[in-house]
Amino acid sequence: MTNDHDLTRRRYLKAATAGAAMAGAAGCLGGGGGGGSEGNSWRTQELAMVPAPGDGALYEPTEEDETGETINHLTWTGYDASNVQDPFRERFNCQTQLDLFTSNPKAFNRLQSGEWQQFHQATFDMAWIPRLAEADLIRPISYEDWKPYTFDQYIDLFKRENGYKYAFVNEDDYTFDIDGTMYGAPQRFGWASFVVNTDTVPEDAYMSYDAAWSDEYNVGVYDLMFWGIQIIMLREGIDPFKEHTEAEVEQVKQATFELFDNAKTLLPDFASMNQAMKSGEIDIGFISGNWINGTLRRGGNLQFQAIVPEEGSVIWVETTAFVKGDQPTVSDNYLAYMQKGENALKLSWPTSGGTNVVPHQTAWENYNDRQREVLRVDEVRDIIDRSVFYTGIPDLEKFEPIWRQAKSRL
């Protein structure tokens, strides 16, 4: 990684905190982002902590905000939908440029290789937040300043005081720590499991992932090793998020081979999986989740469900962070605006891209009956209780060859 200066992260944080305090005392904070003047703004300090003005000031443009700026956001499909982006663009007279990705590891490598200079914000599944922080790619965020814009608006499951820790990082060992530094804001979430046609697979069969290993059903495997391996581990009773023994790796290998031996087809993307489900080519899609099959359900095909069986699922939370380097004056406005309940609801139900639940209480209160049914809102609490939060596979490289070998058997 290349730094343009010789300040360490610790010195940055101290400088940022001191600068914010001085600016606040002098009455210089405010105006669209809480940055000071005189060149000590967080926007021009590469790793400075991001403050925020109070009283909802970030929701409205001010005279200090420049117009005609562009915010570059590295993120997932759905965030780019017109109903999500256009209100902010019009309100703040600026542009937003969204670069969409489908792989956390590849997106991380892009930023680490130097592309961080091209982006102002990035939205990763939360397990990558500590890695991004450790690599000095993202900025810390002032929790107390941002709490009114973020965590105060979330449902109880996502409150820090109720145990939600997946936006907070211990900077000594770069692990999640509820008492750590805030590095990101949750925006969408869901689960990885498998999708079942409930018209062709009886309920007693899909109470376990074993249904995908049964020759009684036509099974399609989505070629998405990263999530597939985690679900196989859950089925085998193995914790995905630790270093694995040789015996556990062998156990996963055998289960993976058996899954592929039983499968009817290998599917290259989620569009192919959805089509195979809709056409009746397959009864079960492994893996899937609400982010994949929500499109089918939104089209009226409610028989397709991303089932969470007795072994549980893996919960992912898309979490947005500020990238290091220079920031537009409206960058903090953009995150705050995206976090507003009515905008989060639009992100949950975009005009393009997948449908997903969001952690914002206002959105939950305003889902209509159809949205609640499609998104399975009333089941989410139970699904989370029976599942595990995605915190990263430390030895993923052990399992990549297994997946490749399994594919060769089809």
Side-chain angles (χ1 to χ4, degrees), residues 18 69 78 106 124 182 206 209 242 277 282 331 333:
E69 293 181 310
K106 290 180 180 178
F124 280 73
M182 181 177 172
Y206 59 70
Y209 285 117
K242 68 175 186 65
M277 292 294 296
I282 60 174
S331 184
N333 301 94

Side-chain angles (χ1 to χ4, degrees), residues 4-288:
D4 296 329
H5 47 73
D6 60 359
L7 289 179
T8 64
R9 172 185 296 278
R10 303 287 178 195
R11 290 174 64 194
Y12 262 120
L13 298 185
K14 290 179 181 178
T17 302
M22 291 176 62
C28 295
L29 285 178
S37 54
E38 308 304 326
N40 66 345
S41 167
W42 67 272
R43 300 188 188 94
T44 57
Q45 294 183 29
E46 190 168 288
L47 287 169
M49 178 175 282
V50 183
D55 302 321
L58 290 178
Y59 296 141
E60 299 291 339
T62 73
E63 292 181 358
E64 294 183 22
D65 295 328
E66 295 180 9
T67 60
E69 293 181 310
T70 297
I71 296 172
N72 295 311
H73 185 184
L74 181 64
T75 189
W76 308 86
T77 183
Y79 290 78
D80 59 326
S82 59
N83 67 325
V84 176
Q85 294 296 318
D86 285 353
F88 177 79
R89 292 167 177 161
E90 294 169 4
R91 186 70 176 165
F92 286 83
N93 189 24
C94 68
Q95 296 299 315
T96 58
Q97 181 70 40
L98 284 85
D99 189 323
L100 307 182
F101 68 91
T102 58
S103 166
N104 287 288
K106 290 180 180 178
F108 177 87
N109 290 339
R110 287 178 59 186
L111 293 184
Q112 193 171 42
S113 68
E115 286 192 43
W116 61 266
Q117 299 174 76
Q118 301 176 24
F119 298 102
H120 305 116
Q121 294 183 25
T123 303
F124 280 73
D125 288 329
M126 75 288 203
W128 291 82
I129 295 299
R131 292 190 61 180
L132 288 159
E134 186 174 16
D136 284 351
L137 291 169
I138 59 175
R139 299 167 174 271
I141 299 171
S142 171
Y143 171 70
E144 291 301 327
D145 286 357
W146 277 90
K147 188 169 177 281
Y149 296 99
T150 57
F151 286 88
D152 281 351
Q153 302 194 48
Y154 298 161
I155 59 176
D156 289 346
L157 292 170
F158 284 80
K159 299 280 190 181
R160 188 180 196 176
E161 58 267 30
N162 293 334
Y164 186 83
K165 63 180 181 179
Y166 303 105
F168 306 98
V169 178
N170 183 324
E171 293 176 316
D172 291 328
D173 60 5
Y174 291 97
T175 58
F176 287 120
D177 184 345
I178 200 166
D179 296 318
T181 301
M182 181 177 172
Y183 270 92
Q187 290 210 256
R188 283 193 315 196
F189 72 98
W191 59 93
S193 58
F194 67 168
V195 61
V196 171
N197 184 341
T198 58
D199 286 347
T200 60
V201 182
E203 183 176 359
D204 61 348
Y206 59 70
M207 291 178 66
S208 168
Y209 285 117
D210 288 350
W213 276 257
S214 170
D215 60 8
E216 294 184 35
Y217 309 107
N218 291 323
V219 177
V221 175
Y222 181 8
D223 188 12
L224 195 60
M225 180 278 301
F226 179 74
W227 291 111
I229 284 292
Q230 294 180 60
I231 301 306
I232 291 170
M233 290 183 196
L234 291 185
R235 188 243 184 182
E236 295 299 307
I238 297 171
D239 181 356
F241 311 128
K242 68 175 186 65
E243 292 283 343
H244 298 92
T245 66
E246 290 185 9
E248 288 172 329
V249 173
E250 181 61 27
Q251 184 179 348
V252 171
K253 178 179 179 179
Q254 292 306 314
T256 305
F257 284 3
E258 291 168 6
L259 171 68
F260 276 78
D261 288 346
N262 183 59
K264 177 180 180 180
T265 185
L266 181 69
L267 301 160
D269 50 49
F270 69 81
S272 300
M273 171 170 286
N274 284 343
Q275 181 57 39
M277 292 294 296
K278 191 172 182 179
S279 69
E281 178 185 358
I282 60 174
D283 306 302
I284 296 174
F286 185 99
I287 57 95
S288 186

